[in-house]
Amino acid sequence: MLAGRAVRTCALLALCLLGSRAQDFGPTRFICTSVPVDADMCAASVAAGGAEELRSNVLQLRETVLQQKETILSQKETIRELTTKLGRCESQSTLDAGPGEARAGGGRKQPSSGKNTMGDLSRTPAAETLSQLGQTLQSLKTRLENLEQYSRLNSSSQTNSLKDLLQSKIDDLERQVLSRVNTLEEGKGGPKNDTEERIKIESALTSLHQRISELEKGQKDNRPGGKFQLTFPLRTNYMYAKVKKSLPEMYAFTVCMWLKSSAAPGVGTPFSYAVPGQANELVLIEWGNNPMEILINDKVAKLPFVINDGKWHHICITWTTRDGVWEAYQDGTQGGNGENLAPYHPIKPQGVLVLGQEQDTLGGGFDATQAFVGELAHFNIWDRKLTPGEVYNLATCSTKALSGNVIAWSESQIEIYGGATKWTFEACRQIN
């Protein structure tokens, strides 16, 4: 009897399935399933068929999603590789662009927020290097002219032969620089060639500096100890001079010097005094298109000096800790004054006094963009405020001119580094 009931049940299920599908979907499968005796067999059969179809659809959808996920990951990797290659191409095109070509972004490089205070010229590294080399060559030629005058007064066949040799080398270097300029203008230069050319020319210049310095040593014994000047022909981070003596604690000071420069923008840092814990204890700096500034314990006052005309100028700054009062003199005339410059802060002792560079650390941390370019002489410091008459005597090279009672300009007290040179001071000779 049970077997007969099962047959009838299967037959009924087949009829229900056939009845529920009005359309022909191809070959038909008959599925037998057990249901309770009093249940609606047609409804149960439909539910079972729908669940199976739904399960199949879910599996297919899951497989499709997994395939699409793999495709997306593959496309992401491809996009990443293409982005990297595009970045490399843009970088290379920027490096290869000439001085007059615009960049793809059309934007100008914004200045950084760091302490690179000199400001860069909008020129390519190669053009900047050639400009500096041209200035160096001109400086060397001037020094050779001085040597020529000296040799006429002190005849020496050895000096004359060395001078002729150096003149020949300078002529060769000038030809190399002109050749490099022509190459750049024709657009044939590349970064590798620029580097090799720069290294070659700078090596020759270093050799010339050494030879000329040897010749200039011959003049040292024939001039007074204070009749010399320092020359810083290039904006580097290795040319500087150091004063052997440090400063005492000071509640007032006057600092005076002769300067000659045509550097632009900004002549750089004529001197800096750093102490432990404060690199900007006392600094004179002109950077970028800003006016010259005096810094005391990181406090700043802008000075009214205009000195980058290639002529000798005498400058003095006086200061007292009482109310931070200061005065500025150029060529013997007071041009500015103020107060509240680091009031009641004494200048601290036991520091390092450097000429030609700005110190970011005690005795070092030089930045080429802040370096002084030009000539410097008669650097003197007093621990009091000089009178206008005393400043005028210094600016006019009077026989009544005083020497600094803290730092006096003396060749024996100056150590030079990196190619900075000493030679006979000419400003007072021109005035007299």
Side-chain angles (χ1 to χ4, degrees):
M1 182 171 179
L2 289 175
R5 182 180 293 178
V7 171
R8 289 194 301 271
T9 300
C10 288
L12 286 171
L13 283 172
L15 290 172
C16 287
L17 287 171
L18 290 172
S20 65
R21 298 186 182 185
Q23 299 177 356
D24 184 12
F25 293 97
T28 303
R29 290 188 302 167
F30 295 97
I31 303 173
C32 294
T33 181
S34 59
V35 295
V37 176
D38 57 348
D40 187 345
M41 289 182 293
C42 289
S45 65
V46 172
E52 182 69 22
E53 185 177 0
L54 181 62
R55 185 180 298 110
S56 175
N57 289 337
V58 168
L59 291 175
Q60 289 179 358
L61 286 173
R62 182 178 297 173
E63 185 176 354
T64 301
V65 167
L66 290 176
Q67 290 175 351
Q68 290 179 346
K69 186 176 180 180
E70 290 178 359
T71 302
I72 290 171
L73 291 175
S74 176
Q75 290 176 345
K76 279 186 176 180
E77 185 64 28
T78 302
I79 292 171
R80 190 179 295 112
E81 291 178 0
L82 291 173
T83 302
T84 302
K85 291 179 180 179
L86 180 60
R88 291 175 182 172
C89 291
E90 289 177 345
S91 299
Q92 186 62 38
S93 65
T94 301
L95 289 174
D96 292 340
E101 294 180 359
R103 293 187 178 183
R108 183 179 177 183
K109 182 181 178 182
Q110 298 296 323
S112 64
S113 60
K115 200 188 173 187
N116 186 357
T117 57
M118 282 300 297
D120 294 331
L121 295 172
S122 58
R123 292 186 287 183
T124 62
E128 179 71 21
T129 300
L130 288 172
S131 175
Q132 292 179 349
L133 290 174
Q135 294 174 9
T136 304
L137 287 170
Q138 186 58 45
S139 173
L140 289 172
K141 291 176 72 174
T142 303
R143 289 165 63 190
L144 275 175
E145 289 173 1
N146 277 1
L147 288 172
E148 187 175 11
Q149 293 176 2
Y150 173 76
S151 65
R152 281 200 296 264
L153 297 174
N154 303 271
S155 180
S156 167
S157 59
Q158 182 181 7
T159 301
N160 288 331
S161 63
L162 283 173
K163 180 183 69 64
D164 293 339
L165 176 62
L166 292 173
Q167 183 63 59
S168 174
K169 287 190 175 182
I170 286 180
D171 292 340
D172 289 341
L173 282 171
E174 284 184 318
R175 283 192 290 271
Q176 290 182 40
V177 170
L178 289 174
S179 173
R180 191 63 195 141
V181 169
N182 293 333
T183 302
L184 285 173
E185 289 177 349
E186 293 172 2
K188 297 178 181 179
K192 183 178 179 181
N193 293 334
D194 289 342
T195 302
E196 292 175 353
E197 194 73 19
R198 186 178 69 251
I199 292 173
K200 181 180 178 181
I201 295 176
E202 286 184 349
S203 176
L205 286 174
T206 301
S207 175
L208 277 173
H209 276 302
Q210 293 173 350
R211 297 296 298 276
I212 292 178
S213 297
E214 290 174 2
L215 285 175
E216 289 169 341
K217 286 179 182 178
Q219 303 179 51
K220 183 175 179 179
D221 296 333
N222 298 317
R223 66 185 180 213
K227 301 293 184 181
F228 75 100
Q229 66 194 48
L230 297 178
T231 301
F232 304 93
L234 286 175
R235 207 184 290 280
T236 71
N237 63 352
Y238 56 81
M239 281 188 186
Y240 68 101
K242 185 166 70 174
V243 180
K244 294 179 181 179
K245 185 179 178 181
S246 183
L247 300 182
E249 186 175 56
M250 296 189 299
Y251 294 85
F253 70 76
T254 299
V255 56
C256 298
M257 71 202 76
W258 284 90
L259 294 176
K260 178 183 177 183
S261 179
S262 58
V267 301
T269 309
F271 81 91
S272 64
Y273 176 68
V275 297
Q278 177 54 277
N280 295 327
E281 182 68 8
L282 179 57
V283 180
L284 182 66
I285 184 171
E286 182 183 86
W287 51 275
N289 294 315
N290 298 297
M292 186 168 280
E293 298 174 340
I294 182 79
L295 282 73
I296 300 177
N297 191 35
D298 255 337
K299 307 302 184 294
V300 181
K302 297 185 183 299
L303 305 176
F305 298 147
V306 180
I307 61 172
N308 64 338
D309 57 2
K311 300 178 181 179
W312 279 106
H313 293 283
H314 186 265
I315 63 171
C316 281
I317 304 105
T318 71
W319 172 85
T320 175
T321 185
R322 183 179 178 83
D323 295 326
V325 176
W326 61 270
E327 296 174 344
Y329 296 81
Q330 180 172 330
D331 299 325
T333 303
Q334 182 179 328
N337 60 76
E339 58 184 14
N340 291 322
L341 175 59
Y344 305 102
H345 170 82
I347 301 299
K348 296 179 182 179
Q350 305 303 316
V352 177
L353 182 56
V354 168
L355 306 178
Q357 294 284 354
E358 195 273 338
Q359 305 173 66
D360 285 337
T361 59
L362 187 64
F366 304 146
D367 184 341
T369 62
Q370 298 171 333
F372 174 70
V373 180
E375 281 93 24
L376 182 152
H378 281 258
F379 179 84
N380 288 273
I381 297 180
W382 295 260
D383 59 2
R384 64 180 180 85
K385 179 180 175 181
L386 294 188
T387 66
E390 290 172 328
V391 172
Y392 182 80
N393 288 338
L394 289 163
T396 56
C397 300
S398 169
T399 55
K400 298 178 182 179
L402 302 174
S403 295
N405 67 339
V406 174
I407 299 294
W409 188 242
S410 173
E411 197 162 359
S412 62
Q413 295 300 313
I414 303 293
E415 296 176 333
I416 58 175
Y417 300 89
T421 56
K422 302 176 185 177
W423 47 301
T424 304
F425 180 55
E426 62 186 41
C428 283
R429 187 172 59 204
Q430 294 174 355
I431 291 175
N432 295 328

